[in-house]
Amino acid sequence: MAVIGHRTTLQEFVTSDWEGNGQHDGLDAVIMAIAEGSIRVQRQVQQASLADALGTTGETNVQGEIVQRLDTASSDIFVETLSQSGHIAVIGCEEIEKPVIVEGLVADGYIVLMDPLDGSSNIDVAVSIGSIFGIWQKKPGETVNEDSLLRPGNEQVAAAYVVYGSSTVLVLATKNNVCGFTLDSESGGFALTHPNIKIPADCPYYSTNEGNNKVLDEPTQKAITLLRDKYSQRYVGSLVADFHRNLLKGGIFAYPADQNRKEGRLRLMYEANPLGYVAEQAGGAASTGYERILDIIPQQLHQRTPLILGNKDVVEQTVSVIKGG
Ligand code: AHM
Ligand code: MG
């Protein structure tokens, strides 16, 4: 089925009068490298069963989690496409212990932190998964090293994610501007389908792992009960897919700290910061339950955080209950 009429392509968008373009030289090339990588990852995800590429590698990553074969393949693909963009200084990746410092860079450069394949438990079962990217710009004259990556989320210049679902959608956020692009299987590229995304004022959904209720502290249990009493539950178990639905339809995602996960479950640098940035640019909010996600000064590359994410009002109400208010 051909697309009727001309839609703005991602390439046209990032080289046009786009906010990211005027102020950040080379950011367009970084976004196109993410798009190129995601098209390759999407093919691998679709073909994985046929190519016998599912299952685990038999290794555990730096976080002590079992590594899926597609985790490794996705990580390799994005490291390759980003490195070849000519505008990357350093890459931090959920699957790689140490940052990948890209050699041969002259002046400008971006710092990308990524979860190359989010939703590990859904990889083998044909359920939506995705890739998440936070993008920072190197400071003028800065020599990059491991510490260059430990910057707060509020210094991101852009963030993006891709959902590999019933369609493949790339969402790109710069300051006050969030747009969605759908992969067109006819042209092989992304086309603008969701301009100027804002989280709807209504909040029909809440997304949380109810199985953790018994290990939540009392105020957090109360906060989740209030969500349950008011909203319908939707929980895919892939953060990127849960967030994407809540961004378009309205909703709140909550993975708070609990007795078993005192630091939280999700990764600050690869998941919470990029999606927190997207949420805020779309009028939403992101909190640990105690502070704004984007204000956290990171201590470690792979650190975890509690995450309450989505509609601003509902995030604020939930945070106030978690704080015992
Ligand atoms: P991953 O990055 O290894 O896939 O892990 C993170 C995932 C998130 O996508 C999702 O929100 C969460 O883990 C689900 O956790 P749980 O299975 O505890 O509900
Ligand atoms: Mg993840």
Side-chain angles (χ1 to χ4, degrees), residues 174-286:
T174 47
K175 199 162 178 44
N176 296 323
N177 187 282
V178 181
C179 290
F181 301 81
T182 302
L183 184 61
D184 175 5
S185 56
E186 294 273 314
S187 69
F190 285 96
L192 181 63
T193 46
H194 300 73
N196 195 22
I197 298 171
K198 297 287 173 207
I199 300 187
D202 279 354
C203 177
Y205 301 127
Y206 78 104
S207 312
T208 196
N209 183 338
E210 298 271 358
N212 294 338
N213 267 0
K214 57 192 173 303
V215 287
L216 299 178
D217 65 22
E218 211 184 308
T220 310
Q221 271 184 10
K222 188 175 159 198
I224 299 297
T225 304
L226 289 172
L227 296 176
R228 188 186 308 132
D229 288 347
K230 227 166 159 186
Y231 309 116
S232 293
Q233 199 213 29
R234 296 285 186 279
Y235 191 69
V236 176
S238 300
L239 170 65
V240 69
D242 279 311
F243 175 72
H244 185 60
R245 180 200 51 250
N246 294 351
L247 179 73
L248 296 186
K249 301 284 186 188
I252 179 169
F253 175 94
Y255 212 123
D258 62 43
Q259 280 167 29
N260 299 336
R261 287 158 284 247
K262 293 196 167 50
E263 308 301 321
R265 159 86 163 93
L266 297 163
R267 269 57 52 129
L268 172 65
M269 303 307 285
Y270 315 116
E271 294 165 325
N273 266 338
L275 298 186
Y277 180 87
V278 177
E280 286 200 7
Q281 308 321 309

Side-chain angles (χ1 to χ4, degrees), residues 86-324:
H87 292 276
I88 295 289
V90 58
I91 302 166
C93 174
E94 188 183 302
E95 300 301 330
I96 306 175
E97 185 175 358
K98 298 275 183 198
V100 179
I101 297 186
V102 181
E103 289 173 17
L105 189 92
V106 193
D108 67 347
Y110 291 88
I111 296 162
V112 172
L113 287 148
M114 65 177 179
D115 178 353
L117 204 56
D118 175 62
S120 296
S121 67
N122 286 324
I123 291 176
D124 287 359
V125 293
V127 173
S128 298
I129 50 181
S131 307
I132 308 174
F133 307 85
I135 305 170
W136 286 254
Q137 193 157 19
K138 190 166 82 85
K139 295 192 175 118
E142 179 185 358
T143 308
V144 291
N145 55 35
E146 287 190 26
D147 291 341
S148 311
L149 286 86
L150 298 181
R151 288 172 58 177
N154 58 30
E155 292 181 9
Q156 286 171 104
V157 294
Y161 66 82
V162 184
V163 181
Y164 312 109
S166 52
S167 57
T168 297
V169 179
L170 184 154
V171 172
L172 170 61
T174 47
K175 199 162 178 44
N176 296 323
N177 187 282
V178 181
C179 290
F181 301 81
T182 302
L183 184 61
D184 175 5
S185 56
E186 294 273 314
S187 69
F190 285 96
L192 181 63
T193 46
H194 300 73
N196 195 22
I197 298 171
K198 297 287 173 207
I199 300 187
D202 279 354
C203 177
Y205 301 127
Y206 78 104
S207 312
T208 196
N209 183 338
E210 298 271 358
N212 294 338
N213 267 0
K214 57 192 173 303
V215 287
L216 299 178
D217 65 22
E218 211 184 308
T220 310
Q221 271 184 10
K222 188 175 159 198
I224 299 297
T225 304
L226 289 172
L227 296 176
R228 188 186 308 132
D229 288 347
K230 227 166 159 186
Y231 309 116
S232 293
Q233 199 213 29
R234 296 285 186 279
Y235 191 69
V236 176
S238 300
L239 170 65
V240 69
D242 279 311
F243 175 72
H244 185 60
R245 180 200 51 250
N246 294 351
L247 179 73
L248 296 186
K249 301 284 186 188
I252 179 169
F253 175 94
Y255 212 123
D258 62 43
Q259 280 167 29
N260 299 336
R261 287 158 284 247
K262 293 196 167 50
E263 308 301 321
R265 159 86 163 93
L266 297 163
R267 269 57 52 129
L268 172 65
M269 303 307 285
Y270 315 116
E271 294 165 325
N273 266 338
L275 298 186
Y277 180 87
V278 177
E280 286 200 7
Q281 308 321 309
S287 170
T288 63
Y290 296 92
E291 65 177 313
R292 180 182 175 221
I293 288 287
L294 300 190
D295 285 341
I296 299 173
I297 307 295
Q299 304 299 317
Q300 290 167 23
L301 197 51
H302 298 283
Q303 83 185 60
R304 294 179 190 259
T305 180
L307 179 61
I308 318 291
L309 176 70
N311 281 57
K312 194 164 189 281
D313 293 351
V314 187
V315 168
E316 283 171 3
Q317 286 154 23
T318 303
V319 165
S320 138
V321 179
I322 289 175
K323 283 178 176 167

